[in-house]
Amino acid sequence: MVIYITIRNMANFLASAYCEYLRWNKYIDFCDYTKHFSPQDASWFDVFQRLIIDNPNIEFKVFNFEGFKKDKPKLIESISFGKITNFNENIQPSRQKFSQSELTLISGCQVSDNKKNNSFQPFEADIVQLCNEKLNQDLLLFRQLPNVKIINDVE
């Protein structure tokens, strides 16, 4: 058995999770959505460590979502067990994303301007950087477990 786990920068994850929440639930202000959570202190390793250690006969494959655009072929090949090695890059997403400006209007929080890709990024750059560091620490810890393989490892 193989279990796939995708992890990402926690600040990016929370922004994305909030957007998904808004699609399917009653409105909640972003500040209220995250008020009891410090993304820079959260650890994916802490979330999955017990599951992985308690199941030494299961292979866990971890994908770092921050490299998704670059590493999409590696992920697709891995989750298809090598059966799909080519795919069409021109396939459009199945639904429209919220833009930075749309989410700024409805989120209730003043957010940093993210001209790079027009995605919703409600956290300041220093928090995002701390989350990147935490993600890298988590990846180092995952690498130490014998039943874990990082799919898009850049080690």
Side-chain angles (χ1 to χ4, degrees):
M1 176 185 283
V2 178
I3 295 178
Y4 288 86
I5 299 171
T6 299
I7 62 174
R8 69 187 302 188
N9 172 308
M10 192 60 75
N12 296 339
F13 172 77
L14 283 174
S16 178
Y18 176 69
C19 292
E20 285 303 313
Y21 178 89
L22 289 179
R23 287 183 188 285
W24 305 105
N25 297 282
K26 283 180 21 181
Y27 173 78
I28 183 173
D29 181 275
F30 181 78
C31 298
D32 289 334
Y33 182 77
T34 59
K35 72 180 169 189
H36 298 293
F37 192 79
S38 300
Q40 68 273 19
D41 297 325
S43 166
W44 289 113
F45 186 78
D46 290 348
V47 170
F48 292 109
Q49 175 185 18
R50 187 82 272 136
L51 174 70
I52 293 169
I53 289 172
D54 286 351
N55 294 283
N57 296 325
I58 294 176
E59 179 182 7
F60 291 86
K61 293 191 176 186
V62 175
F63 184 79
N64 178 358
F65 190 79
E66 297 307 317
F68 180 72
K69 285 187 171 129
K70 177 176 66 81
D71 295 327
K72 194 183 323 181
K74 285 182 187 176
L75 176 62
I76 291 171
E77 185 174 356
S78 182
I79 64 175
S80 71
F81 300 99
K83 300 217 185 277
I84 300 173
T85 56
N86 296 326
F87 63 95
N88 185 341
E89 288 279 357
N90 297 320
I91 296 173
Q92 295 299 310
S94 60
R95 61 182 165 75
Q96 191 68 22
K97 292 168 71 173
F98 286 125
S99 72
Q100 167 87 1
S101 56
E102 289 169 328
L103 279 164
T104 299
L105 287 171
I106 63 173
S107 70
C109 283
Q110 188 69 335
V111 296
S112 304
D113 190 21
N114 184 5
K115 292 182 178 151
K116 185 172 95 177
N117 63 11
N118 195 34
S119 64
F120 180 58
Q121 183 47 269
F123 296 101
E124 296 295 328
D126 60 331
I127 298 295
V128 174
Q129 180 57 38
L130 288 170
C131 290
N132 280 331
E133 292 168 13
K134 188 64 153 179
L135 176 63
N136 289 328
Q137 290 170 4
D138 284 345
L139 287 166
L140 284 171
L141 292 169
F142 279 122
R143 281 186 199 103
Q144 295 173 13
L145 299 176
N147 57 332
V148 173
K149 179 181 186 303
I150 310 296
I151 294 173
N152 55 337
D153 207 346
V154 291
E155 188 180 36

